[in-house]
Amino acid sequence: MSELQDGVAIVTGGSTGIGAATAKRFADEGASVVVADVNVEDGEDTVAEIVDAGGEATFVEVDVTDPAEVEAMVETAVDTYGGLDFAVNNAGIEGENEPTSDQPLDNWEQVIDVNLKGVFVGMQAEIDAMLEDGGGAIVNMSSIAGQVGFPNLTPYVASKHGVIGLTKTASLEYSEAGVRVNAICPGVIETPMVEATDQASIEQTIAATPIGRLGEPSEIGDAAVWLCSEEASFVTGESLVIDGGYVS
Ligand code: NAI
């Protein structure tokens, strides 16, 4: 019997890539999963795959930048499955590739809104629900761009550094009450976000990665499941880098 059995998990950005793989991993462990995303079509496919494999899942359309929609997402988890135990705040966008002085302000605002405000309002709603239900665990999706700079990605890098700050602060505030809060910093993982990158940059990344390949979405899902499990009961405020050695 899995330790996540009978738990309830929300995964934002759960329609594709890392989020979809993470939602499937939670379902494999026996958790009921709310797949939450703006992308309805792929989200419904992810839910169908989970249900076909014998798991329990439901889709909620949500824009993580809208606090009312995020509240409704958490209410759906509580109303449908009786509470909330785990949340993976994973929805994110990369935004435009431009040097700092050429970055359009509206791109800055959009990337910070989704990647940073989205995690903030997500945690606000999730923590309240978890405190009412005896505690829980949150995983926020940062990046190796939350550890080091990357040229031409100022808003993305700033947002992902910010996610680590949000994670550390919430962990100080809520760990004693039973809500652990951690972050994951993936390296380059094979997802739709990365498929948009040119082949030369992908090859450069692989060459700079000691393990010699890109990561698989399921390798991030495995870590999210572990961070939410009892095996990680003394882990909070941590940022776990999973990058094949890239930033070492
Ligand atoms: P992806 O593009 O496959 O997935 C992102 C998901 O977020 C999509 O389903 C998208 O519809 C959803 N989303 C975007 N804006 C949203 C909004 N406002 N509200 C709700 N959902 C929204 O990308 P991937 O690669 O799976 O990324 C997932 C997370 O992992 C992101 O936070 C990304 O920054 C992070 N990450 C990804 C890396 C990679 O190499 N793929 C590396 C490091 C971090």
Side-chain angles (χ1 to χ4, degrees), residues 13-19 36-39 62-65 90-93 114-115 141-144 156 160 186-194:
S15 292
T16 58
I18 291 170
D37 205 298
V38 279
N39 175 345
V62 64
D63 179 343
V64 295
T65 68
N90 163 79
I93 55 173
V114 177
N115 294 6
M141 205 55 71
S142 178
S143 166
I144 50 174
Y156 186 77
K160 294 301 186 181
V188 183
I189 310 297
E190 271 191 287
T191 70
M193 187 183 274
V194 166

Side-chain angles (χ1 to χ4, degrees), residues 40-87:
V40 178
E41 199 180 330
D42 288 325
E44 286 176 346
D45 286 350
T46 300
V47 165
E49 281 178 47
I50 290 172
V51 171
D52 287 350
E56 179 61 48
T58 193
F59 178 75
V60 174
E61 183 177 358
V62 64
D63 179 343
V64 295
T65 68
D66 182 329
E69 290 188 19
V70 170
E71 282 285 346
M73 167 189 82
V74 171
E75 272 167 31
T76 301
V78 173
D79 293 349
T80 311
Y81 297 123
L84 180 65
D85 304 292
F86 315 114

Side-chain angles (χ1 to χ4, degrees), residues 116-247:
L116 191 55
K117 178 184 166 191
V119 171
F120 173 64
V121 297
M123 284 204 299
Q124 286 190 310
E126 293 150 6
I127 287 168
D128 283 348
M130 287 175 183
L131 291 176
E132 277 172 27
D133 199 26
I138 293 175
V139 175
N140 295 324
M141 205 55 71
S142 178
S143 166
I144 50 174
Q147 302 278 333
V148 297
F150 282 87
N152 304 326
L153 286 174
T154 327
Y156 186 77
V157 170
S159 72
K160 294 301 186 181
H161 275 69
V163 166
I164 291 177
L166 292 181
T167 301
K168 287 180 175 171
T169 303
S171 78
L172 294 176
E173 293 166 340
Y174 297 105
S175 292
E176 197 175 352
V179 179
R180 294 183 299 103
V181 187
N182 291 289
I184 295 178
C185 299
V188 183
I189 310 297
E190 271 191 287
T191 70
M193 187 183 274
V194 166
E195 277 153 24
T197 312
D198 65 283
Q199 194 54 33
S201 327
I202 290 179
E203 274 160 23
Q204 256 178 8
T205 303
I206 292 172
T209 302
I211 285 185
R213 61 171 173 83
L214 302 184
E216 297 288 333
S218 63
E219 293 176 307
I220 306 304
D222 288 341
V225 162
W226 179 75
L227 281 169
C228 289
S229 75
E230 271 304 299
E231 289 173 10
S233 55
F234 203 49
V235 183
T236 195
E238 190 52 65
S239 301
L240 181 58
V241 176
I242 303 174
D243 69 344
Y246 184 91
V247 294

